[in-house]
């Protein structure tokens, strides 16, 4: 028989049993969770595709690193290892450790944003925009229009539209734009990568306008792998070479180690400029900890440094993209509407086309995530109107994309788990007419997708 996928480039040394539940148990569990998959107990979940954040399996080498982590309050050897890894792989001069990505976003936003400034970005991410707005910034989406069309199958849908940067600069003035937030890959667009050519063009534009470019490097290794596989001229370059070139078109980055860093917790802010680094190093003490641990234990930093080196191994990262593609291809073959092309960390179901009869303000994606859980015990996440939140005037943002994210943790599940997931989604699609929307029972004031509660409209 032809094998249509690449087998795992690792073998399993420790296992974690998972629990199977009955449909009745899951119906009770989702009702108790207010139809919000974030509020389910993990024990009630069979296959957890809520997020790829902090859910990676570490290698034996990383676990060994935990034992030799240096827990010194200051000057930790493990921080030196992390700092050296970031300098080596990313090429930035300064590394400020933080407890996770949003810790770095907090520092960056405080340092760079003045009240009323505009921060252009290739689509928003929830915590990133929340920090920008808390510091008086106004987010402006400058991603290419194609990114907002879930069905359009074109490469590098994460790219920035330079015309949109021109328009913003003409409208508000370059001096009101402290930096461009360039995410590689773009989570909410479906894990879509940015091309090297686009990164270069954005950086050149920014330099002409004396505006900084800060990468959200959370999934930069996946982005580098897409560049290697899809962008002409990069096939024979290593992931590290590509990553370094990507970072050379920026002035720094925020990073959540919980994704491509292959660790369960950790992050950093990296910068090239001395003055900005000094500001970050004095702020990190207030919010995170000493500039030599920033909220991480020494062992976390040791595992993080090792994880970064493992992440740039092509056999690892290409297998990861392959796993995601396998799930997407199975759904696509059954005509289930998904975001195309298939992204780096997740397959995104297009809830608008899945449930065209449910209005966006009755939350088709939230409904689909809840029903998928009841169907199969697979936990997914809404990335649509609930995640988008409300405008400062108090209305819903109505994002074009109303998606359910099936996020694949790194090195955790096998192709069999992906088959179970695909079968469940396909079954749900065949009975899609019977689904009904949801309404709020409790709406959380900030980042409402985490803790809001809902009930079915039929009740
Ligand atoms: N940037 C992006 C693109 C992210 O996806 C995340 C987290 C962050 C920043 C913040 O990092 O969680 O370490 O503070 N994304 C997770 C997710 C939560 O599920 O997509 P963090």
């Amino acid at each position: 028989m032809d094998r249509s996928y690449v087998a795992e480039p690792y073998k399993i040394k420790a296992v974690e049993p998972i629990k199977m539940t009955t449909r009745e148990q899951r119906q009770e569990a989702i009702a108790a969770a207010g139809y919000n998959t974030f509020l389910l107990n993990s024990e009630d979940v069979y296959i957890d595709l809520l997020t790829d954040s902090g859910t990676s399996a570490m290698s034996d080498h990383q676990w060994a690193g935990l034992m030799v982590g240096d827990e010194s309050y200051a000057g930790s050897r493990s921080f030196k290892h992390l700092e050296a890894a970031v300098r080596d792989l990313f090429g930035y001069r300064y590394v400020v450790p933080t407890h996770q990505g949003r810790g770095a976003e907090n520092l960056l936003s405080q340092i760079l944003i003045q009240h009323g400034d505009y921060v252009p970005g290739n689509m928003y991410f929830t915590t990133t925009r929340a920090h920008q707005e808390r510091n008086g910034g106004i987010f402006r989406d400058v991603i290419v229009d194609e990114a907002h069309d879930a069905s359009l199958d074109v490469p590098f849908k994460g790219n920035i539209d330079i015309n949109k940067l021109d328009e913003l600069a003409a409208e508000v003035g370059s001096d009101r734009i402290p930096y461009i937030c360039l995410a590689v890959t773009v989570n909410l667009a479906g894990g879509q990568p940015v091309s090297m050519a686009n990164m270069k063009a954005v950086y050149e534009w920014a330099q002409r306008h004396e505006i900084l470019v800060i990468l959200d490097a959370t999934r930069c290794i996946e982005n580098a792998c897409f560049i290697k596989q899809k962008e002409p001229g990069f096939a024979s370059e290593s992931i590290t070479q590509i990553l370094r070139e990507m970072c050379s078109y920026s002035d720094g980055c925020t990073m959540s180690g919980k994704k491509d860093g292959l660790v369960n917790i950790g992050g950093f802010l990296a910068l090239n400029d001395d003055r900005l680094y000094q500001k970050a190093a004095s702020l990190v003490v207030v919010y995170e900890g000493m500039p030599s641990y920033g909220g991480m234990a020494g062992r976390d930093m040791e595992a993080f440094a090792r994880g970064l080196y493992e992440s740039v191994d092509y056999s690892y990262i290409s297998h990861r993209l392959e796993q995601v593609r396998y799930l997407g291809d199975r759904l696509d073959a059954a005509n289930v509407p998904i975001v195309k092309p298939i992204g780096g960390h997740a397959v995104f179901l297009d809830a608008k086309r899945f449930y065209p009869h449910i209005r966006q303000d009755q939350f088709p994606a939230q409904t689909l995530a809840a029903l998928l859980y009841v169907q199969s015990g697979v936990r997914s996440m809404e990335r649509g109107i609930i995640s988008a939140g409300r405008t400062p005037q108090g209305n819903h943002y109505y994002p074009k994309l109303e998606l359910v994210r099936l996020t694949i943790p790194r090195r955790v599940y096998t192709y069999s788990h992906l088959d179970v997931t695909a079968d469940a989604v396909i079954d749900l699609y065949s009975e899609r007419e019977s689904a009904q929307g949801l309404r709020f029972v409790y709406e959380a004031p900030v980042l409402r997708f985490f803790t809001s509660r809902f009930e079915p409209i039929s009740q």
Side-chain angles (χ1 to χ4, degrees):
M1 199 185 81
D2 258 5
R3 209 182 45 213
S4 59
Y5 52 83
V6 179
E8 286 75 9
Y10 46 81
K11 58 184 177 176
I12 295 163
K13 196 172 234 170
V15 294
E16 179 180 350
I18 45 180
K19 192 173 92 181
M20 299 176 86
T21 47
T22 63
R23 191 179 184 90
E24 289 67 40
Q25 287 170 328
R26 294 193 293 271
Q27 257 155 354
E28 262 178 44
I30 196 75
Y35 295 85
N36 185 346
T37 51
F38 278 100
L39 299 179
L40 286 166
N41 291 324
S42 67
E43 287 189 340
D44 296 329
V45 173
Y46 176 39
I47 298 174
D48 204 347
L49 307 185
L50 184 73
T51 177
D52 62 330
S53 182
T55 53
S56 300
M58 292 206 295
S59 67
D60 52 357
H61 185 58
Q62 287 177 288
W63 280 102
L66 299 187
M67 267 325 281
V68 295
D70 177 0
E71 306 302 339
S72 305
Y73 189 81
S76 164
R77 180 180 64 236
S78 299
F79 172 66
K80 296 288 170 204
H81 292 165
L82 176 61
E83 184 183 51
V86 176
R87 284 181 175 155
D88 180 27
L89 298 172
F90 293 66
Y92 298 118
R93 291 176 66 197
Y94 298 111
V95 183
V96 183
T98 59
H99 74 286
Q100 59 184 83
R102 68 199 70 180
E105 292 166 356
N106 174 35
L107 302 181
L108 180 80
S109 304
Q110 292 205 33
I111 293 167
L112 290 182
I113 299 174
Q114 306 286 330
H115 191 83
D117 279 351
Y118 286 77
V119 184
N122 49 347
M123 215 173 256
Y124 78 101
F125 182 71
T126 51
T127 58
T128 321
R129 195 181 69 192
H131 279 296
Q132 292 164 359
E133 290 176 349
R134 282 174 71 86
N135 285 284
I138 302 160
F139 167 78
R140 183 65 72 86
D141 188 9
V142 291
I143 202 166
V144 293
D145 285 340
E146 290 89 329
H148 293 283
D149 183 343
S151 60
L152 202 62
D153 195 350
V154 294
F156 299 110
K157 272 166 86 172
N159 283 355
I160 281 184
D161 183 340
I162 306 274
N163 292 325
K164 292 186 186 174
L165 288 176
D166 278 331
E167 278 162 26
L168 181 63
E171 183 189 325
V172 304
S174 306
D175 54 336
R176 297 307 340 226
I177 307 174
Y179 67 101
I180 300 167
C181 178
L182 177 54
V184 288
T185 60
V186 185
N187 188 351
L188 296 199
Q192 304 298 332
V194 180
S195 72
M196 192 74 86
N198 188 249
M199 295 181 76
K200 190 167 182 222
V202 168
Y203 192 54
E204 283 167 3
W205 184 93
Q207 289 205 308
R208 278 202 304 282
H209 292 78
E210 296 182 7
I211 293 170
L212 299 176
V213 175
I214 304 290
L215 300 187
D216 179 341
T218 295
R219 296 184 182 83
C220 58
I221 313 295
E222 290 167 7
N223 201 103
C225 194
F226 277 120
I227 289 177
K228 183 174 168 71
Q229 294 177 346
K230 292 189 174 179
E231 190 164 349
F234 291 94
S236 60
E237 292 206 11
S238 69
I239 296 296
T240 309
Q241 282 171 322
I242 295 172
L243 178 62
R244 285 192 75 131
E245 183 176 342
M246 287 165 59
C247 296
S248 76
Y249 302 132
S250 73
D251 301 285
C253 80
T254 56
M255 173 80 182
S256 166
K258 302 174 71 174
K259 287 78 167 174
D260 275 356
L262 290 171
V263 281
N264 306 117
I265 195 73
F268 59 80
L269 169 65
L271 294 163
N272 284 332
D273 182 81
D274 300 289
R275 209 177 37 88
L276 292 180
Y277 168 71
Q278 291 308 336
K279 285 189 181 172
S282 54
L283 262 191
V284 75
V285 191
V286 180
Y287 289 97
E288 308 278 330
M290 284 286 286
S292 60
Y293 75 88
M296 283 180 279
R299 64 181 83 97
D300 296 331
M301 295 189 283
E302 196 65 44
F304 193 178
R306 295 178 182 208
L308 285 173
Y309 278 108
E310 291 176 14
S311 75
V312 296
D313 173 5
Y314 187 62
S315 61
Y316 151 72
I317 188 64
S318 57
H319 168 265
R320 161 148 184 81
L321 294 191
E322 188 79 26
Q323 266 203 334
V324 178
R325 194 151 47 224
Y326 174 82
L327 175 61
D329 283 346
R330 275 218 52 201
L331 296 177
D332 195 32
N335 292 321
V336 173
I338 59 171
V339 174
K340 300 267 203 65
I342 296 157
H345 63 306
V347 174
F348 288 72
L349 305 175
D350 183 352
K352 276 191 183 166
R353 283 185 291 148
F354 204 104
Y355 291 144
H357 58 287
I358 300 181
R359 283 180 10 210
Q360 195 170 13
D361 60 3
Q362 295 179 352
F363 318 136
Q366 189 78 22
T367 305
L368 178 51
L371 291 180
L372 177 61
Y373 170 73
V374 173
Q375 178 80 7
S376 59
V378 171
R379 171 154 71 168
S380 58
M381 177 196 292
E382 190 260 13
R383 290 276 91 146
I385 187 168
I386 309 284
S387 297
R390 290 187 184 270
T391 63
Q393 293 72 38
N395 304 313
H396 291 302
Y397 282 110
Y398 280 85
K400 289 213 178 84
L401 298 179
E402 177 73 20
L403 309 175
V404 169
R405 191 179 73 172
L406 300 167
T407 337
I408 316 297
R410 295 167 182 78
R411 306 192 290 205
V412 170
Y413 291 115
T414 65
Y415 286 99
S416 315
H417 294 113
L418 301 180
D419 280 331
V420 171
T421 305
D423 291 343
V425 174
I426 292 165
D427 286 348
L428 213 52
Y429 191 53
S430 68
E431 52 193 60
R432 57 193 175 278
E433 280 87 13
S434 60
Q436 297 183 51
L438 296 167
R439 65 175 156 242
F440 276 115
V441 176
Y442 161 70
E443 182 180 350
V446 217
L447 298 176
R448 61 185 183 169
F449 53 95
F450 281 130
T451 52
S452 293
R453 303 179 70 84
F454 305 85
E455 65 183 9
I457 298 254
S458 55
Q459 275 180 13

